[in-house]
Amino acid sequence: MSFDQQVARREYTDEGIQLDIEREDTSHDEEEFHDYVKPWDPESIRVSTKTFSVRNILDLVDEDSIELQPDFQRLRVWKMKQKAQLIESIILQIPLPAFYFAEDRDGSMRVVDGLQRLSTIHDFVRGGNASGFKLQQLEYIDDVQGHSFDELPAPIKRRIYNTQLVVHVIDPTTPPAVKYDIFRRINTGGTTLTSQEIRHCMSRSRSREFLQKQTSTDLFQEATGYSLENNNRMVDREVVLRFVAFYMMGNIENYRRAGTMEDLLWRTTEHLDDPKEISDQKLQELGASLAVGLKLSLVVFGEHAFRKWTQASSRRSPFNRALFETWTTQLATRDPDKVTEKANEIANRAMKLMESDFEFMSAITSSTGDPKKVEYRFRAVDKLLEDVLK
């Protein structure tokens, strides 16, 4: 594959709009890692099926017993036609697909599969003037077109409130890694959730707030060329999580013991959520280290930071995840003054690496979670920096 062909590998939104993000090919990663995957213990999987009325489940949402992840919702919003037709299906008494919740030890529940459906129902019935909406673009029920919930006839309101929802609840005693894999397998919404979206739904506020804080800085947006600013699939939070994972790992050879990239990122999320594993002070230090990696990446690469770049192609390539985790991690541990002094030489050496080292280009393009490729790109950048900064 030529350099220009690799540059053209971009991600798209659900609406088919091209993003300034390189599509990451991980199609062979799980095959490469099959020896690392531990089989499930059937005794560790505990799932119960419950039935709730819409009124009951909305009360639980209002009591904060069911968490809808409002920051997640803002990133992914259904179009009005999708919302209205869901409500129409309820009025027509068409059974909805089952929901999946993850229950915490305190009895509260988080929605993973069915988030947009439940959010839509809550907005329509309980939203009021703030987030409520009127029914539009219905297919079968003409006499309620343009109606809000409060404007519906009483019998239809009762029908909505009494609608029964089937919910599969994952018991809190189910191991987190198993819980994650269950949801990875079953999430079936209109748009399948990404791995980071699942981690976000299943994680606690500590890790979510840390990742959100790091991605909201002007420095992060500038260093990533604003490519992730309006991305709705949580690529920004995933790459920060990857930085934390590799930065805390130390020796890159430890990656082989991590299992898969997904295993590593899930365990890192758990560590971020646990103050016993990562203290508040350590969280601040991680944020400061990321800032160093971002600043120095800007100093060295400017607008080409975290993008494939050669002498033969001066145009800016899309954002590349593998380059982000590699360069931020490697630069965060270097002397800023030395890196600044040798910035041009580092950039030139990096371009030559991408021009002449096919194995390096492969390591940042396909099967990027393969241990051999992870080790190769980290070692290549480490050697480059050692040679220039010595």
Side-chain angles (χ1 to χ4, degrees):
M1 183 182 295
S2 69
F3 180 79
D4 286 339
Q5 286 175 319
Q6 291 169 346
V7 167
R9 296 160 46 89
R10 296 176 185 259
E11 290 190 0
Y12 290 80
T13 65
D14 300 337
E15 294 76 30
I17 300 171
Q18 190 180 67
L19 298 172
D20 189 26
I21 303 171
E22 183 173 342
R23 178 170 56 85
E24 187 173 51
D25 179 8
T26 59
S27 57
H28 301 294
D29 287 353
E30 292 299 326
E31 297 174 16
E32 297 283 347
F33 295 152
H34 65 87
D35 289 336
Y36 293 95
V37 178
K38 297 179 180 178
W40 283 359
D41 174 7
E43 296 300 320
S44 69
I45 304 171
R46 296 181 176 86
V47 183
S48 60
T49 300
K50 302 180 180 181
T51 302
F52 297 87
S53 69
V54 165
R55 182 191 296 274
N56 182 216
I57 213 164
L58 294 183
D59 287 344
L60 291 172
V61 171
D62 291 340
E63 295 166 4
D64 293 326
S65 295
I66 297 177
E67 188 177 3
L68 290 183
Q69 303 289 8
D71 56 333
F72 177 84
Q73 290 178 145
R74 285 195 294 271
L75 298 175
R76 294 271 304 288
V77 179
W78 271 6
K79 293 182 174 64
M80 181 54 65
K81 184 176 181 179
Q82 291 173 289
K83 293 182 177 182
Q85 290 186 354
L86 173 68
I87 302 302
E88 185 179 41
S89 295
I90 293 174
I91 295 173
L92 292 171
Q93 297 185 305
I94 298 173
L96 301 185
F99 294 76
Y100 283 81
F101 293 176
E103 185 174 8
D104 290 333
R105 293 186 182 279
D106 62 3
S108 62
M109 293 180 285
R110 283 167 285 159
V111 183
V112 175
D113 197 51
L115 181 67
Q116 284 295 331
R117 284 178 285 143
L118 185 52
S119 299
T120 296
I121 295 169
H122 186 269
D123 288 348
F124 180 68
V125 178
R126 298 282 172 87
N129 294 327
S131 59
F133 59 91
K134 294 178 181 291
L135 297 176
Q136 303 172 26
Q137 304 179 58
L138 300 179
E139 293 185 345
Y140 301 107
I141 311 176
D142 291 332
D143 56 350
V144 296
Q145 290 274 10
H147 285 48
S148 66
F149 179 79
D150 290 340
E151 295 168 335
L152 292 176
I156 293 182
K157 287 183 183 178
R158 285 196 297 272
R159 185 181 302 174
I160 292 174
Y161 270 133
N162 292 334
T163 294
Q164 300 296 298
L165 303 179
V166 176
V167 180
H168 301 305
V169 181
I170 310 298
D171 191 272
T173 59
T174 302
V178 174
K179 195 183 299 183
Y180 167 81
D181 207 27
I182 291 172
F183 284 118
R184 181 182 62 80
R185 288 167 177 257
I186 56 85
N187 83 87
T188 57
T191 301
T192 303
L193 301 180
T194 66
S195 295
Q196 184 57 35
E197 288 170 335
I198 297 174
R199 278 189 292 270
H200 178 85
C201 286
M202 294 182 62
S203 62
R204 297 186 178 276
S205 60
R206 194 168 189 261
S207 64
R208 298 198 305 263
E209 290 171 3
F210 172 79
L211 296 178
Q212 193 274 336
K213 180 179 179 181
Q214 305 312 312
T215 59
S216 298
T217 66
D218 292 339
L219 174 60
F220 179 86
Q221 297 300 337
E222 183 181 2
T224 55
Y226 301 93
S227 297
L228 311 183
E229 186 175 20
N230 296 312
N231 178 260
N232 66 352
R233 305 312 303 267
M234 292 199 164
V235 176
D236 53 352
R237 302 184 196 194
E238 179 188 319
V239 296
V240 171
L241 183 62
R242 289 192 186 194
F243 164 83
V244 172
F246 285 109
Y247 185 81
M248 294 179 60
M249 182 181 298
N251 191 328
I252 196 61
E253 291 184 359
N254 292 330
Y255 179 73
R256 287 183 175 271
R257 294 194 288 271
T260 67
M261 180 71 79
E262 296 305 325
D263 293 333
L264 173 64
L265 296 182
W266 176 247
R267 283 197 297 273
T268 303
T269 301
E270 288 186 288
H271 292 330
L272 287 172
D273 276 329
D274 188 352
K276 295 179 180 178
E277 292 285 344
I278 301 178
S279 65
D280 290 344
Q281 180 179 347
K282 182 62 176 177
L283 273 185
Q284 292 181 354
E285 293 172 358
L286 286 169
S289 297
L290 173 63
V292 171
L294 293 171
K295 288 177 184 177
L296 293 181
S297 295
L298 268 176
V299 168
V300 173
F301 299 107
E303 66 173 4
H304 295 284
F306 318 127
R307 299 162 195 271
K308 294 172 180 174
W309 185 27
T310 69
Q311 294 280 10
S313 180
S314 59
R315 65 192 180 96
R316 194 174 80 161
S317 304
F319 175 86
N320 180 284
R321 294 170 173 85
L323 286 173
F324 180 94
E325 68 201 30
T326 306
W327 279 105
T328 52
T329 303
Q330 293 290 350
L331 288 173
T333 60
R334 261 58 183 200
D335 184 329
D337 292 335
K338 289 184 178 180
V339 171
T340 301
E341 180 184 351
K342 299 285 187 176
N344 289 337
E345 186 176 351
I346 295 172
N348 289 332
R349 290 280 295 271
M351 279 193 288
K352 290 178 181 178
L353 184 66
M354 287 185 275
E355 288 173 336
S356 60
D357 191 330
F358 174 80
E359 194 169 353
F360 180 80
M361 285 296 284
S362 175
I364 62 174
T365 302
S366 62
S367 298
T368 52
D370 181 337
K372 294 178 182 177
K373 295 191 174 186
V374 172
E375 290 177 8
Y376 190 89
R377 65 176 178 260
F378 270 84
R379 286 172 177 163
V381 170
D382 180 62
K383 184 178 185 303
L384 184 158
L385 291 172
E386 288 296 317
D387 290 347
V388 174
L389 300 176
K390 62 184 177 183

